[in-house]
Each structure stands twice: as structure tokens, then as C-alpha cells.
Amino acid sequence: MRILHTSDWHLGRSFHRVPLLEAQAAFLDHLVATVREHEVDAVVVAGDVYDRAVPPLGAVQLFDDALHRLAGAGVPTVMISGNHDSARRLGVGAGLIGRAGIHLRTDPAHCATPVVLADAHGDVAFYGLPYLEPALVKDTLRAERAGHEAVLTAAMDRVRADLAARPDSTRSVVLAHAFVAGGEPSDSERDITVGGVAAVPAGVFDGVDYVALGHLHGCQAVTDRVRYSGSPLAYSFSESAHRKTMWLIDLDASGAVTAERVDCPVPRRLARLRGRLDELLDDPALDRHEDAWVEATLTDPVRPADPMARLTERFPHTLGLVFEPERAPDDPDISYARRLRGRDDQSIAEDFVAHVRGGCGTDAQERAVLRGAFDHVRVDDGVREVNR
């Protein structure tokens, strides 16, 4: 069976205020063309179809068009909701849509009810694990505790139990939206850390033939059988080195996996430039970036006059401007933003407590209270967004 694995469309998202609906439409054209050209037997979409719980109308129309075209191609499609989607909204009409061969899996309670497709060698069971917010699904899945590993383990235990009741020849594919250890993140994924832990071990998915992951935006293989497709478009400058692709997966009669990357259309290249303003404006080696979307980091000791206007004369698609003056690491004037770069909310809060106490840091109980507060706010924000 030939499977096309994609995820993280984020329909409705922009790139530094540049609308991307046209580029997303071009990607969906490419996806349908790939399905036909490579004689794909099934399409799997591993979450984050939309960029937010209540997407703009243009994104909904684009999704609606994609569903009609995939159904018209006669190729079954299995989709799950991601942490950016509203599972309840995305799942509306799932029963009716399923009759057209588009199978939406958004309810955690049904994660062990597969979509069963057949080829010349027998059945392939597709299990959809939508994004599992630990605090919200712990009781539904009867997990031991409210953590990513615990709820995914509980869901996979159900999957393995269902699979064990099927004929031995049944092959299996799991769709999941999660941060699996060994994956390389970028700046554009929403934080899903719970209790200080975001990643789960790949071993959680043992016992199935292929795991189609979503959430991380870089295409990558955690193992031969556990892979991220990544997002089809770049959504932050941290993805400037990404090759945006989908996975074309061949699952043979024994369940062995062969994988090939299929490139996605690139609306405009990304470039991250760094140096003093005059250097960026004069260096002939940068000619190749003049048509790219540019993020420029200026290292001038003193902020130059009209930097954006001057940059856009040479690089008209400059979208980001960062100032990092050349200074010694211990310079007291180093910016607050630079001191915080790469640090999470928990560590910043702990340092704040230490600062107001005159250097006395937090103990284990206080760190647990802070962690619980951050978890509560993140879950509450998600619930409020879904229920708007």
C-alpha cells in the first residue's frame, strides 16, 4: 500500500504578516497532483490542519475545497486534529464525510477504532490519535497520570489491544500529533510542555508498522518506522534550512517500510543575514538573497539610522529586523531579550523569584507550584479558544 504522509498545514497562518493562503492553495494543488502522479492508495494528515481553533473563512474554504478534491480523486484520506485545531469543530460531520472516503479522527475515546483499508495483501488498519491534551483526556483514556507519555501509552495500549484481536496479517499505521524524543523542533511550534516535559519516547509506539507524526515542522525520521512529515511551508525563519516535503511510504505485504521524500512548492526562499548594516548592503555575495524573504540581524555597535528602509532598497522582501550590537557577553548593557533567549517560562519565573529574594532560589515545592500554574494557564487558554 502506498501512503502519502503530510501534516501541519496550518491553513490560515501568515508569515510575518504576509498572507499565505495562496501558497497553501498551491501546496494543496501539489498534494492532489502527487496523489494522482504516484498512484497513492491513502493520504494521512497528522494534525494541525488549521492554525487556530476558529480559523478565518478563507482557510475554511480552502479546506473544504481540499476535501472535495481528495474525495473526487477516489483516494481514502485519514486526518486527525492537532493542538492548533479545535477537535470538536474539525470533527463536525465526520460521519457523513466518512462516506466520501475522508475519515476525520478527532475524538480520543475512539482512538482504537481504525479505518480499515485493503490492498492485494490484506487489510491495513489506520488508527487516528488526535492531539491528546493530558489534563483533558486522562480520565477518558484511564491513564495513570496527566502527562504526555501516560496518555499516549494509554491510547496505544488500546490500539495494540484492538490490533491483537485482528488477523495476524493485518498491517497497521498510527497517526499521532506529539513531540517524540529525538525530533528536532523549530520556533514555530506551539509549546505543549506539561509538568516540565514535552517529549515522549518513540518506544510508546512499539507494535505497529508505521507511525505518521505531526507537530514538529521539520521533515525527519525518528526511526525507520516513526517519522515526521513536517509542515509543507516554512512558518518561521528558524525553518530557513528546512527542505519542505511529504513522505511517500510504501508498506509491503510483511509491513516493511520504504520511504521517499516528495518536495513541496516553495513560494519564496528564506534567508537569515547577519552583520553590520553597511556590510549587508555592500556584500556582492548576498546578491542571491535579493528576492528572498529576509530576516536581518544587525550587529552595529550603535543602531544605524533608518535600517529597515535602507535594507528594503536592496532586499525588498525584508520581514524581520533584529538588533544584536557587538558586545562582550558580560557587558551590563546586553539586552534583556538576549539574556532570555532560549529559556522557557519556568526558568525565567524561577530566576525572578530568586531576584526579588535577593538571590535565594526556589525549592522543589515552589518549582512544582510554578510548573502547575503554567500548565493550568496553557490548558485554560486552549479550552477558552475552543469554546469561543
Side-chain angles (χ1 to χ4, degrees):
M1 183 170 287
R2 175 162 287 180
I3 302 163
L4 186 64
H5 168 197
T6 177
S7 74
D8 294 274
W9 295 355
H10 289 278
L11 299 181
R13 189 163 184 161
S14 60
F15 185 82
H16 288 260
R17 299 179 301 280
V18 175
L20 290 178
L21 274 182
E22 186 175 330
Q24 290 170 335
F27 159 70
L28 292 173
D29 289 343
H30 171 68
L31 184 148
V32 175
T34 300
V35 166
R36 298 183 187 277
E37 177 185 349
H38 291 274
E39 298 180 334
V40 169
D41 298 306
V43 175
V44 297
V45 186
D48 282 353
V49 173
Y50 291 122
D51 188 56
R52 57 181 187 265
V54 185
L57 181 58
V60 176
Q61 291 172 330
L62 196 56
F63 179 60
D64 180 64
D65 179 65
L67 294 187
H68 279 84
R69 295 171 68 188
L70 288 168
V75 176
T77 300
V78 184
M79 296 183 172
I80 61 172
S81 49
N83 62 302
H84 279 251
D85 299 308
S86 163
R88 293 176 64 183
R89 285 190 172 90
L90 188 64
V92 168
L96 289 174
I97 295 171
R99 297 180 186 179
I102 307 294
H103 305 280
L104 299 173
R105 292 294 186 262
T106 63
D107 187 347
H110 298 152
C111 62
T113 303
V115 177
V116 180
L117 306 177
D119 64 8
H121 305 292
D123 288 346
V124 180
F126 290 78
Y127 296 91
L129 276 57
Y131 172 66
L132 303 175
E133 175 57 59
L136 301 181
V137 303
K138 172 183 175 291
D139 293 339
T140 298
L141 296 176
R142 297 179 182 175
E144 293 180 356
R145 58 186 183 83
H148 287 301
E149 184 174 354
V151 296
L152 274 168
T153 297
M156 283 301 302
D157 285 346
R158 294 185 175 204
V159 167
R160 284 184 282 262
D162 180 84
L163 192 57
R166 297 180 181 275
D168 292 342
S169 60
T170 304
R171 290 155 291 161
S172 54
V173 175
V174 165
L175 289 72
H177 197 86
F179 186 177
V180 176
E184 182 65 33
S186 62
D187 291 344
S188 54
E189 298 111 7
R190 181 181 291 170
D191 181 34
I192 59 170
T193 301
V194 174
V197 178
V200 300
V204 165
F205 299 103
D206 285 351
V208 297
D209 293 308
Y210 183 68
V211 181
L213 292 174
H215 182 57
L216 299 186
H217 288 182
C219 182
Q220 53 198 294
V222 179
T223 72
D224 287 344
R225 295 184 181 274
V226 181
R227 297 173 184 263
Y228 284 98
S229 67
S231 60
L233 299 171
Y235 292 118
S236 74
F237 278 103
S238 67
E239 301 171 51
S240 59
H242 286 187
R243 174 188 166 198
K244 295 300 184 180
T245 62
M246 300 177 284
W247 284 113
L248 196 63
I249 302 296
D250 284 316
L251 200 62
D252 74 8
S254 68
V257 171
T258 303
E260 175 188 349
R261 292 176 73 175
V262 178
D263 288 294
C264 296
V266 178
R268 192 179 297 278
R269 293 182 302 102
L270 306 186
R272 302 182 98 171
L273 309 182
R274 182 183 182 89
R276 298 192 178 197
L277 180 58
D278 288 342
E279 295 170 351
L280 300 184
L281 296 178
D282 297 335
D283 187 352
L286 302 181
D287 288 351
R288 67 186 188 278
H289 299 309
E290 290 179 355
D291 194 45
W293 278 325
V294 168
E295 178 190 67
T297 299
L298 301 184
T299 60
D300 302 70
V302 177
R303 183 173 300 204
D306 299 322
M308 181 61 87
R310 293 165 66 187
L311 278 168
T312 54
E313 288 181 6
R314 182 178 187 188
F315 307 104
H317 304 290
T318 300
L319 300 179
L321 188 57
V322 181
F323 295 96
E324 290 189 1
E326 296 169 344
R327 292 193 176 111
D330 58 351
D331 190 317
D333 291 331
I334 192 168
S335 75
Y336 182 66
R338 287 181 65 186
R339 292 200 301 272
L340 298 184
R341 182 170 301 141
R343 304 181 61 203
D344 60 21
D345 292 341
Q346 177 83 17
S347 64
I348 293 169
E350 289 176 14
D351 278 1
F352 174 76
V353 173
H355 171 73
V356 297
R357 283 178 172 170
C360 180
T362 56
D363 59 27
Q365 183 177 1
E366 290 168 332
R367 288 192 293 274
V369 170
L370 286 170
R371 188 176 299 116
F374 283 122
D375 288 348
H376 175 80
V377 169
R378 183 183 51 77
V379 172
D380 187 61
D381 285 347
V383 171
R384 287 175 183 271
E385 184 177 9
V386 169
N387 292 332
R388 279 196 304 172

